[in-house]
Amino acid sequence: MKKDTVRSSLLLFLTAFIWGVAFVAQSVGMEYVGPFTFNAVRFALGGTVLLPFLMWKRRGERREETEEGNAAVRRRTLIGGICCGCALSTASLLQQLGIQRTTVAKAGFITALYIIIVPALGLFFHKKVRKLIWVSVLLAVFGMYLLCIQESFYISTGDLLVFLCAVVFSVHILVIDYFSPKADGVALSCIQFYTSALLCGLGMLFWETPSFAAILRGWAPILYAGILSCGVAYTLQIIGQKGMDPTVASLILSLESVISLIAGWILLGQALNPREICGCVLAFAAIILAQLPDRRSASSS
C-alpha cells in the first residue's frame, strides 16, 4: 500500500472518529436549540476556526505560484466550496429532521447506506468500481445492519428523510472527490462552512426563534460540533479524499456509526451486545478488504 494511501486512510479514519463522538454532542445540543440554529452556529464556527490557518497557508504559497495559476485555483475553490456547502447544509438538516421522527438505530443504518449510493452514483460519472469494493460494500452493509437495526424495519417519514440525507451525503462525497484535486482544500472547506451557515441561518430566521441565551446554555456541544466536527473533521475529509477512491473513502467514513456506539459505551455507559460487536468486526473487516490492492494491477506492476 502506498504511503499516500495510508496517510489518506488515517486522515479519513480520524474524521470518522471525530464524527462518531460528535453524535453525543449533537444529541445534547438539540436539547437547547433547533436544527437550523444548531447547524447555523456550528458551521459558522467551523469556518471561522479555519480563517487563521488559511491566512498562514496563503502567505507561504503566495511566492510559489503565478498570478494566473492563483486565479484558476481560487475560481475552482469558490465554485467547489459553494457546491459542497449546499450539499452539506441540505444533508445535515435532513439528518437532524429525520432523527426527530425515527429511532437513532434506524437513522444510523439508513445514513450508512451512502456506502452503497456513492459507487452507484459514481457509475453515472463513468467511474469504475472493482469487484472487491462491491464485496466490501455488501460486507459493510451487513455489519451496519447487525450494528444498528434492533427492531422491525418499516418506512416512516423520518426514515425517508434520513434516506434522502444519505443520498445528499453521497453527492457531497462525489463533489469533494471532483473538486479537491483541483482546489485549495482548506479554503474550499472554509467556503463550504460559511455557505452552509448562511443557508441554515436563513432557515433559522424563517422557521425558528433563535435565542442567544439558549445558544450559550448549549455552548459545550455546539463548540465541539463547530470546532472539531466541522472545522477539523470536514477539512481532514477534503485533504484525505485527495487521490482516494470515493467508494473506499465512504467505507472508512461510515465507521462513524461504529465509533458512535463505542463513544456511547465509554461516555454514557451503554454496553455493546454480541450482535453489535459482530457488526463492528464486519465493518472493520470491510475497510481492510477495501484497502487490498487489485491483483491485476499488482501483477502488471
Side-chain angles (χ1 to χ4, degrees):
M1 189 182 296
K2 297 180 180 179
K3 292 183 178 180
D4 291 342
T5 304
V6 175
R7 174 180 171 272
S8 297
S9 299
L10 290 175
L11 289 177
L12 292 175
F13 176 77
L14 182 58
T15 300
F17 179 84
I18 295 173
W19 283 345
V21 177
F23 271 102
V24 177
Q26 187 174 344
S27 62
V28 174
M30 290 292 292
E31 298 177 1
Y32 302 96
V33 295
F36 284 99
T37 303
F38 183 83
N39 283 328
V41 176
R42 72 160 175 161
F43 286 137
L45 280 173
T48 303
V49 166
L50 290 179
L51 285 179
F53 179 69
L54 181 61
M55 295 174 61
W56 172 80
K57 186 172 179 290
R58 283 286 174 86
R59 287 182 180 179
E61 294 178 347
R62 191 168 297 170
R63 299 178 180 178
E64 299 178 4
E65 299 180 357
T66 63
E67 186 63 30
E68 183 179 355
N70 282 331
V73 171
R74 283 197 297 266
R75 183 170 60 253
R76 289 191 295 265
T77 301
L78 177 62
I79 296 173
I82 293 175
C83 292
C84 288
C86 292
L88 176 61
S89 60
T90 303
S92 298
L93 288 171
L94 285 171
Q95 186 182 57
Q96 293 287 90
L97 295 172
I99 288 177
Q100 293 177 341
R101 295 169 174 84
T102 188
T103 64
V104 173
K106 291 172 70 175
F109 174 73
I110 297 172
T111 302
L113 288 179
Y114 64 74
I115 66 179
I116 293 179
I117 300 171
V118 166
L121 292 178
L123 293 176
F124 291 98
F125 299 97
H126 307 289
K127 288 184 175 291
K128 295 182 179 180
V129 180
R130 295 185 293 131
K131 293 181 180 179
L132 193 62
I133 298 298
W134 285 114
V135 174
S136 301
V137 167
L138 294 176
L139 187 62
V141 168
F142 185 60
M144 290 297 174
Y145 177 82
L146 294 177
L147 187 65
C148 299
I149 299 300
Q150 307 292 337
E151 56 189 81
S152 58
F153 191 92
Y154 65 95
I155 301 298
S156 66
T157 302
D159 297 335
L160 180 60
L161 288 171
V162 178
F163 176 76
L164 292 175
C165 156
V167 174
V168 181
F169 266 133
S170 302
V171 173
H172 182 251
I173 290 174
L174 291 174
V175 171
I176 290 177
D177 177 66
Y178 177 79
F179 281 103
S180 60
K182 309 173 184 179
D184 183 328
V186 179
L188 188 149
S189 185
C190 189
I191 293 172
Q192 83 162 343
F193 290 142
Y194 280 128
T195 301
S196 299
L198 175 62
L199 294 175
C200 293
L202 292 175
M204 174 186 69
L205 295 177
F206 279 103
W207 290 294
E208 294 178 358
T209 306
S211 168
F212 186 70
I215 295 174
L216 287 180
R217 287 195 298 269
W219 67 270
I222 291 175
L223 281 180
Y224 182 92
I227 296 176
L228 289 177
S229 183
C230 289
V232 175
Y234 277 106
T235 303
L236 290 177
Q237 179 195 9
I238 290 175
I239 297 174
Q241 274 195 231
K242 284 189 176 181
M244 172 71 74
D245 186 302
T247 305
V248 177
S250 67
L251 282 167
I252 299 175
L253 294 174
S254 70
L255 283 176
E256 66 175 298
S257 297
V258 180
I259 296 169
S260 66
L261 278 179
I262 296 175
W265 174 42
I266 296 175
L267 300 176
L268 304 177
Q270 300 173 347
L272 295 173
N273 59 41
R275 177 190 175 100
E276 292 168 333
I277 293 174
C278 184
C280 291
V281 172
L282 288 176
F284 276 106
I287 301 304
I288 296 173
L289 185 62
Q291 299 297 319
L292 295 178
D294 190 3
R295 291 183 178 180
R296 288 175 296 181
S297 61
S299 61
S300 61
S301 59

